[in-house]
Structures are given as structure tokens and as C-alpha cells.
Amino acid sequence: LNTTAQVKISSPYSIFGIGNLYGVSSQMNMAIGGAATAFSSPYFINPANPASYMAFDTNSFVFDGAFNLRSGTLKTTTETQKTRFGTLSNLYFGFPVTKWWRTSLGIMPFSQVGFEMQNTQVIENVGNTVFTYSGNGGLNKAYYGNAFSIVKNLSVGVNMSYIFGNIVKQRAVTFPDSGAFYNSMARTTARLNKLNFDFGLIYRKNLKEGKFLQIGLTFTPKQTLVGYAEGITYSYYYDYSSNVETIKDTVTYSAGDDGEVILPTALGAGFMLGSTNRWFVTADVNWQKWSEFSYLGNNPNLENNLRLSLGGQFRPSPVDIGKYYERINYRAGFRFEQSYLEIADTRLNDFGISFGVGLPMKKSRSTINLAIELGTQGTTENELIKENYVRFTLGTSLQERWFLKRRYN
């Protein structure tokens, strides 16, 4: 047996579980290292902690929408490949209901699957044998959340979310140099959906000289996605001259409404310290128990995940007057994530630093927001894959007063 390897890769680590987790809560959170557990603002919507909705102004409607573009370079010890994709980052709405009740709804990506890997082996008396692994799809999350001020300085919140989407994974063995062998294909398709819930709490303490301190906690219980699962394995002949695939025989086929994916328990804790309309710094730690995850009855033996985030914002002028650059919000942060993947006895980590600005619109509380994150994931050790990436977000946050009663003389 003689082998040579030729590998084509796009987003290789999305082969595991439900794919790459999206993670970003909003355009603001991306600019400050992903810190979101204790963050709240009258101008931004933060579904990562539903208790944060209580920060909405009692007379205002808030809209938060953004687009995300990610460009990366994948590296092995022998090859390099460029990747790029864009997607809607988030679309959120928030508004007050009463003095003690706020609500929000929106939609965002939850996970993304997109990979294609090929390994070509030269086998004696057979010739080139190509093993191809590919996948596409992902999950989305639509939510409806509510926050309540139950006692002074304390707010609690809950999100009711509907997670839905399709994930297709397949593996093929082909023989491009021989017509004596039929190719084979194994494909699984999961159409998943389910309501789930997550909870949050924020305690705010007002300090002297306009300063404040907030403590945030979040909790997501272990929950199950259910849906339709289909699996098929078949042999086929492929005509390379006409690019036509002819199925010879179906080897196995199964389908039914018994597809099940178990999502893990998650806990988060953080703080936010700041001065109103001037500056803040926030940090949090988030943990997920991915050891209890399973995908369509299979346990991929994932590790528990830990993420640390730190970020902040500074605005030179505390009021909406003065030179334009003094009214810009300047943001920065970093994050470190020990992912749930351990391959070849190597734990894969993800590290990123981020920068951003919030550009105020004329005669408005609304802003145009730009953020960029420079990150690296994985390693080339033990024949693994490393990705260096740049993620860019462009969005807007609109805060408009809709609920004022007009008075006339």
C-alpha cells in the first residue's frame, strides 16, 4: 500500500458536532472581546443575558442589526488555503412594556457547518483512491425575551428561543483511475428544531460621581433538539467526461422523526464597572458542559468549553456636544477560548483581539458601529490545522423615542 495525501480544506473543524458555534451576541459585544454576561445598555440589545433588556429607556424603541464578514487562512505543515464568507450577524428589536418590564425579539446564527476535505491515496492494483468528507448547513436561533425588575437594582430575564436548521454531512470514496470499481457515498441529513430557554440576572449598584458596578449571571440548562433524520449509503458510477452520476444500488437507508441532538448546560458570570456616558470595562467567564453533548445518537467525546473575555469602551465627551471625534465611542477587547475539541491529544484553543468604534448619527442617539477582530484557532502540531482569521462587522444601532405623549400649548 502506497499513499500520498492531497488535502483540500475550508472550515475543517465544523465537521464536529453541530459545527462552529457563532458565539457573537451583537456588534457591540464583538468589539469588546465578546464580553456580554454583565453588559447592558439603553442603546444596544444583548440576548446573551436577557436581564440586560431592563436597561432600555422607558420611552424608546431599540433596533440592533449587523452584517459579518470573515476572512481566514488555513494552514497545515505543507499547505495553505484562503477562506471567506459573510452572513447576517443579528437582527434584534427591543422596547419597554411597563416601568418594570422590557421585551426583545430577534434572530441570529447559532452554528455554521461548511467543510470539504480530500485525501488521495495511491493503492496498488487500484490507482488513485479519493476519500472526500464534506458538509454544509447550520442552525439559526430566533428568540423572544423578557426582563423584569423584581426589586430595586435587581433584574431577571428569560429568553424563549426556537433553534432550527439543517445539517448535511457526507463521505465518499471514488476511483478516478479505474472503471472496475463503483464509487460509494454515505450521507446523513438532520432537520432539527426545538424550543429552549435560557435565564439571566443582573445586579446594579450605583456608586459615587456617576459610576456604577454591575454583576451578571447566566444559566442555560441541558436541552434537546429533535427533528427528522435521514441516512443513506449507496454505490454509484461517475462519468468524468459528462459529469453525470448514475446510482447503481442503495446499500442502506433510514429515515424518521427520531433525530436528536443534546445541547449542553452552560453557566456564565461577569462584572461591568463604568461611568455613565463616558467609559466602562467588563469581563466574564463562560463554561459549557460539552461532555454531555450527543449528535443523532453518537457521542463525539467532546471536552468542556471555557471562554474568558475582557473589554471596554471610552468616549472623550460625556455629552452630545463638542467636536465629532470627542463623541465617538472607542472600543477594544480580547478573548481566550479553550474549545471543546481535543484531537491527537492536543486541545484546540481560540484567541482573538478586537477593536471598534461607534459613530454617532447627527441629531440622534443612534450609531453606526464598526468592529474588527484578529484571531487564531488551532495549531499545525500533530498534523492538525491552524486558522488565522479576520472578522469584520458593520452594523447600526437605532434608538428612537416612540412612546412620548406630545403636548401642545
Side-chain angles (χ1 to χ4, degrees), residues 90-366:
N90 62 272
L91 194 64
Y92 305 149
F93 304 88
F95 50 90
V97 180
T98 68
K99 290 183 178 181
W100 49 269
W101 177 12
R102 307 287 190 273
T103 195
S104 176
L105 66 159
I107 189 168
M108 72 193 88
F110 187 74
S111 73
Q112 298 165 329
V113 176
F115 63 91
E116 181 176 351
M117 296 176 284
Q118 287 186 352
N119 181 25
T120 300
Q121 299 181 355
V122 180
I123 301 177
E124 187 176 353
N125 299 322
V126 176
N128 284 328
T129 303
V130 182
F131 300 85
T132 303
Y133 305 86
S134 60
N136 61 82
L139 301 176
N140 300 298
K141 180 178 180 179
Y143 77 92
Y144 170 65
N146 292 278
F148 306 93
S149 178
I150 53 176
V151 296
K152 185 179 179 180
N153 299 328
L154 179 66
S155 59
V156 297
V158 57
N159 284 327
M160 179 179 68
S161 303
Y162 180 66
I163 297 177
F164 63 97
N166 301 330
I167 296 176
V168 179
K169 297 182 180 181
Q170 54 190 26
R171 61 184 185 275
V173 181
T174 57
F175 307 94
D177 294 342
S178 175
F181 301 95
Y182 283 99
N183 306 316
S184 66
M185 170 70 75
R187 179 187 298 120
T188 61
T189 302
R191 300 180 179 91
L192 303 169
N193 60 84
K194 186 66 181 293
L195 285 176
N196 71 354
F197 296 86
D198 61 276
F199 308 90
L201 175 151
I202 289 180
Y203 175 77
R204 180 184 177 101
K205 176 67 174 179
N206 292 319
L207 308 175
K208 295 180 180 180
E209 299 178 350
K211 296 181 177 61
F212 65 90
L213 173 66
Q214 290 187 177
I215 303 296
L217 300 173
T218 58
F219 171 67
T220 303
K222 180 175 74 172
Q223 297 172 85
T224 302
L225 301 180
V226 296
Y228 177 84
E230 179 184 75
I232 185 171
T233 304
Y234 62 89
S235 58
Y236 68 97
Y237 173 75
Y238 189 81
D239 188 338
Y240 288 89
S241 62
S242 60
N243 294 325
V244 175
E245 178 183 300
T246 303
I247 296 178
K248 175 184 178 291
D249 190 23
T250 299
V251 180
T252 62
Y253 179 79
S254 62
D257 295 326
D258 57 353
E260 183 176 278
V261 174
I262 297 177
L263 297 180
T265 303
L267 296 170
F271 77 89
M272 179 179 182
L273 176 67
S275 177
T276 304
N277 295 330
R278 191 69 187 271
W279 61 269
F280 70 79
V281 60
T282 182
D284 57 37
V285 55
N286 287 271
W287 175 84
Q288 292 178 303
K289 193 178 180 181
W290 282 97
S291 58
E292 60 190 13
F293 171 83
S294 71
Y295 183 82
L296 302 182
N298 299 313
N299 184 353
N301 296 316
L302 302 180
E303 301 294 327
N304 296 332
N305 166 278
L306 182 68
R307 187 182 78 243
L308 305 174
S309 300
L310 172 66
Q313 172 180 285
F314 175 73
R315 173 175 162 159
S317 175
V319 294
D320 294 329
I321 57 175
K323 297 179 179 180
Y324 185 79
Y325 72 86
E326 294 179 339
R327 294 182 283 119
I328 294 175
N329 294 300
Y330 300 92
R331 302 160 184 153
F334 80 90
R335 62 177 176 81
F336 171 80
E337 183 169 357
Q338 188 179 52
S339 81
Y340 53 59
L341 296 178
E342 184 173 321
I343 306 172
D345 296 322
T346 303
R347 192 69 176 267
L348 301 183
N349 297 323
D350 192 344
F351 174 80
I353 58 174
S354 55
F355 305 92
V357 292
L359 305 174
M361 298 183 187
K362 188 176 181 180
K363 297 180 180 180
S364 173
R365 295 185 173 187
S366 303

